[in-house]
């Protein structure tokens, strides 16, 4: 009989489809030594008691407390790591002022590696405490600072996808914060890739380098072309922004006589490993291009409320078989919590429907799918569901109103989506290893 790394006994909540989350009580979730879920055993299975007793005997049984539930960890598809110190700052300003007065000066500070280490330690710990087991990060232009972020993710146990930001267009970037040239942007990107792959091998951590043009306006054609070639050479994911706002969308039309999505496609950046953030201005033809290329969208509802000029059409994208996950967009989004972004997704979708877009409304089941399965599919990783063959990236969440409110399964689930905060997330696991524990009052 297999000796498991850990066996969780308790109720699990995991997405079955885009429209339905399963609530399964009295379950054993059995995690093997590689951190993969080997079996999910229900109380009705004949060997339930035998597996439970064996786990109890060898000290690998963890009984989820009454009123708490086992959920998949979340994937955050859009994090600007160097912007963490300004989360919640100046969000009442226009985007151009926000970038030039606050964001670019802050990001330029990450040439100071001690500053980078201090900020990134804080950020990664905060994300783990909020149940985010996988992060897709924009770094800064500084290769060495980005490698510090990677090592911190490795040390703290988070599954991390990280990109060195490329930005060399002198007309759209400040002289104190940009790559010196296209050649420099591409050379440093390739150095970052090689260093990241070496670090991954050294640490055996879940680290992946990502090709990262900041967005079309910030890069010259030469850089966009070179980044597309690097993505192909190393078979790597790509991340950028796409049609985030009216301004960005119009820039592509004015400069290329193409939509933002078409420009990215032209430079071989809209690949089957691409995750493009925001997409509030995407046309039906753009969504069809995403679908054809098997590219994914990071929906950032809090950030979009400030800078997106619209609400991203999640249901329309899903109807067209476009993979969609959630992103916090620290710091255009002020909160590091995917729970907060699930809530905002639902609220924003109702506003979109009220403004005349039919069938735009999202449910708690829909947004939970985005936070778990959607993000995992976007990054092509076996996480986001509690079932055999998936990595045990998990969170144990306490229902703070268990003793007061209804305990009907659907009502418990919706309550967790709407009311969970960091204090309610009691433990977080990546590949079956404990990476965060809330030692506060039960």
């Amino acid at each position: 009989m297999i000796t498991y790394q850990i066996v969780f006994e308790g109720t699990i909540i995991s997405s079955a489809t885009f429209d339905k989350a399963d609530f399964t009580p009295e379950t054993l979730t059995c995690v093997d030594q590689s951190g993969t879920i080997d079996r999910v055993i229900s109380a009705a299975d004949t060997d339930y008691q035998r597996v439970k007793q064996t786990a109890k005997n060898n000290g690998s049984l963890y009984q989820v407390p009454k009123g708490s539930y086992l959920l998949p960890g979340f994937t955050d598809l859009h994090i600007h790591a160097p912007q963490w110190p300004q989360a919640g700052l100046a969000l009442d300003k226009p985007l151009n002022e926000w970038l030039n007065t606050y964001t670019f000066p802050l990001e330029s500070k990450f040439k100071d590696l001690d500053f980078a280490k201090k900020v990134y330690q804080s950020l990664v710990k905060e994300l783990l405490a909020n149940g985010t087991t996988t992060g897709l990060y924009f770094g800064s232009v500084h290769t060495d600072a980005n490698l510090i972020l990677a090592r911190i993710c490795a040390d703290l146990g988070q599954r991390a996808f990280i990109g060195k930001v490329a930005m060399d267009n002198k007309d759209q970037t400040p002289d104190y914060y940009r790559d010196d040239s296209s050649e420099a942007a591409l050379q440093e990107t390739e150095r970052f890739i090689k260093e990241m792959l070496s670090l991954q091998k050294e640490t055996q951590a879940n680290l992946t380098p990502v090709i990262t043009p900041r967005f079309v306006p910030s890069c010259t054609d030469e850089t966009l072309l070179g980044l597309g070639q690097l993505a192909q050479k190393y078979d790597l994911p790509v991340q950028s922004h796409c049609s985030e706002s009216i301004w960005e969308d119009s820039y592509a039309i004015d400069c290329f006589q193409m939509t933002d999505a078409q420009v990215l496609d032209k430079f071989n950046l809209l690949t089957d490993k691409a995750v493009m953030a925001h997409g509030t201005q995407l046309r039906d033809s753009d969504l069809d291009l995403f679908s054809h290329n098997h590219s994914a969208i990071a929906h950032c509802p809090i950030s979009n409320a400030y800078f997106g000029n619209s609400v991203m059409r999640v249901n329309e994208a899903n109807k067209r078989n476009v993979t969609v996950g959630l992103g916090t967009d620290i710091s255009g989004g002020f909160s590091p919590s995917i729970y907060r972004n699930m809530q905002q997704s639902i609220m924003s979708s109702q506003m979109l429907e009220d403004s005349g877009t039919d069938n735009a409304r999202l449910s708690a089941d829909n947004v939970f799918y985005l936070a778990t399965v959607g993000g995992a599919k976007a990054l092509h990783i076996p996480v986001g569901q509690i079932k055999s063959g998936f990595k045990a990236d998990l969170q144990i969440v306490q229902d703070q109103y268990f003793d007061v409110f209804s305990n009907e399964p659907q009502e418990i689930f919706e309550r967790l989506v709407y009311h969970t905060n960091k204090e309610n997330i009691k433990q977080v696991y990546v590949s079956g290893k404990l990476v965060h524990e809330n030692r506060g009052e039960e």
Side-chain angles (χ1 to χ4, degrees):
M1 190 172 184
I2 296 176
T3 300
Y4 291 116
Q5 178 186 152
I6 190 168
V7 176
F8 297 94
E9 182 186 31
T11 299
I12 64 173
I13 301 175
S14 183
S15 281
T17 67
F18 179 68
D19 294 308
K20 186 177 186 299
D22 278 343
F23 183 101
T24 312
E26 292 187 83
T27 302
L28 297 178
T29 300
C30 306
V31 181
D32 69 19
Q33 299 300 324
S34 74
T36 302
I37 298 171
D38 178 63
R39 295 182 66 193
V40 178
I41 306 173
S42 74
D45 290 333
T46 55
D47 59 347
Y48 181 95
Q49 290 298 335
R50 179 169 62 88
V51 172
K52 175 182 174 179
Q53 189 60 49
T54 299
K56 190 173 183 179
N57 291 345
N58 63 32
S60 61
L61 181 68
Y62 180 90
Q63 293 176 300
V64 177
K66 185 178 180 181
S68 294
Y69 303 89
L70 190 66
L71 278 63
F74 291 150
T75 295
D76 187 337
L77 288 180
H78 192 50
I79 309 160
H80 286 275
Q83 294 178 21
W84 174 229
Q86 69 172 32
L89 178 65
L91 292 174
D92 58 325
K93 306 297 184 184
L95 177 59
N96 187 59
E97 182 179 345
W98 182 80
L99 286 171
N100 288 298
T101 305
Y102 300 93
T103 305
F104 291 150
L106 172 59
E107 290 195 20
S108 71
K109 293 181 180 179
F110 282 76
K111 60 181 177 289
D112 179 341
L113 300 187
D114 289 333
F115 178 72
K117 183 175 182 180
K118 181 179 179 181
V119 171
Y120 291 155
Q121 283 275 2
S122 170
L123 172 62
V124 177
K125 287 180 179 179
E126 185 70 19
L127 289 167
L128 287 170
N130 278 281
T132 298
T133 48
T134 298
L136 176 55
Y137 292 98
F138 275 59
S140 64
V141 301
H142 313 101
T143 298
D144 293 332
N146 299 327
L147 292 169
I148 285 175
L149 171 61
R151 188 169 286 280
I152 288 169
C153 290
D155 290 345
L156 295 179
Q158 189 183 52
R159 194 180 302 278
F161 293 71
I162 301 170
K164 174 245 178 290
V165 167
M167 45 189 288
D168 70 316
N169 184 351
K170 294 180 181 179
D171 294 333
Q172 296 291 335
T173 55
D175 57 5
Y176 63 85
Y177 184 61
R178 63 173 173 238
D179 293 298
D180 291 337
S181 64
S182 177
E183 182 181 22
L186 297 173
Q187 285 179 348
E188 281 300 293
T189 295
E190 189 157 26
R191 180 168 82 87
F192 174 72
I193 292 167
K194 290 177 179 178
E195 294 276 2
M196 270 282 283
L197 293 175
S198 176
L199 183 61
Q200 194 279 334
K201 187 174 181 181
E202 173 198 333
T203 62
Q204 293 298 299
N206 298 301
L207 301 174
T208 304
V210 183
I211 301 298
T212 309
R214 190 177 197 108
F215 62 166
V216 166
S218 69
C219 296
T220 60
D221 291 11
E222 183 182 359
T223 295
L224 293 171
L225 180 63
L227 292 173
Q229 291 168 345
L230 286 173
Q232 185 175 35
K233 177 180 178 180
Y234 290 96
D235 190 26
L236 291 176
V238 179
Q239 63 178 341
S240 191
H241 303 79
C242 185
S243 294
E244 175 181 3
S245 63
I246 292 172
W247 175 81
E248 183 188 335
D249 194 64
S250 299
Y251 181 93
I253 297 292
D254 293 343
C255 294
F256 293 92
Q257 292 73 56
M258 295 179 179
T259 67
D260 215 10
Q262 289 170 330
V263 175
L264 291 163
D265 188 45
K266 171 186 175 181
F267 291 107
N268 298 312
L269 292 164
L270 198 68
T271 70
D272 61 357
K273 289 187 175 182
V275 181
M276 297 297 164
H278 303 293
T280 62
Q281 310 299 316
L282 291 174
R283 300 152 180 80
D284 288 351
S285 59
D286 294 325
L287 291 175
D288 289 339
L289 180 58
F290 268 78
S291 180
H292 178 266
N293 289 8
H294 303 288
S295 304
I297 298 171
H299 176 39
C300 307
I302 292 178
S303 173
N304 290 346
Y306 294 104
F307 299 129
N309 305 129
S310 187
V311 178
M312 193 251 155
R313 298 180 296 152
V314 174
N315 276 336
E316 186 63 32
N318 183 66
K319 187 176 79 173
R320 293 171 186 266
N321 297 313
V322 178
T323 298
V324 181
L326 286 178
T328 57
D329 193 22
I330 294 294
S331 68
F334 60 84
S335 174
S337 168
I338 289 290
Y339 284 98
R340 291 293 297 272
N341 279 274
M342 286 196 290
Q343 297 153 17
Q344 185 64 51
S345 291
I346 296 170
M347 291 186 284
S348 293
S349 73
Q350 180 60 48
M351 295 170 71
L352 183 62
E353 184 151 317
D354 289 346
S355 68
T357 301
D358 293 337
N359 301 314
R361 184 75 184 262
L362 296 173
S363 68
D365 297 81
N366 298 152
V367 299
F368 184 68
Y369 180 94
L370 300 182
T372 55
V373 179
K377 285 188 172 182
L379 295 174
H380 305 277
I381 50 177
V383 300
Q385 291 177 279
I386 302 178
K387 64 187 213 180
S388 177
F390 282 65
K391 287 294 183 180
D393 290 12
L394 305 165
Q395 52 181 315
I396 294 175
V397 181
Q398 179 191 57
D399 175 7
Q400 59 185 306
Y401 301 117
F402 178 80
D403 291 330
V404 181
F405 293 176
S406 162
N407 282 307
E408 290 297 317
Q410 184 63 23
E411 295 183 20
I412 293 172
F413 167 67
E414 293 187 15
R415 193 158 66 238
L416 292 178
V417 168
Y418 278 103
H419 290 289
T420 295
N421 55 50
K422 184 173 67 171
E423 289 68 36
N424 305 128
I425 301 170
K426 296 304 180 182
Q427 292 186 332
V428 179
Y429 295 80
V430 175
S431 291
K433 294 181 180 178
L434 182 67
V435 294
H436 169 76
E437 185 167 23
N438 181 349
R439 298 182 180 276
E441 276 190 1
E442 291 292 328

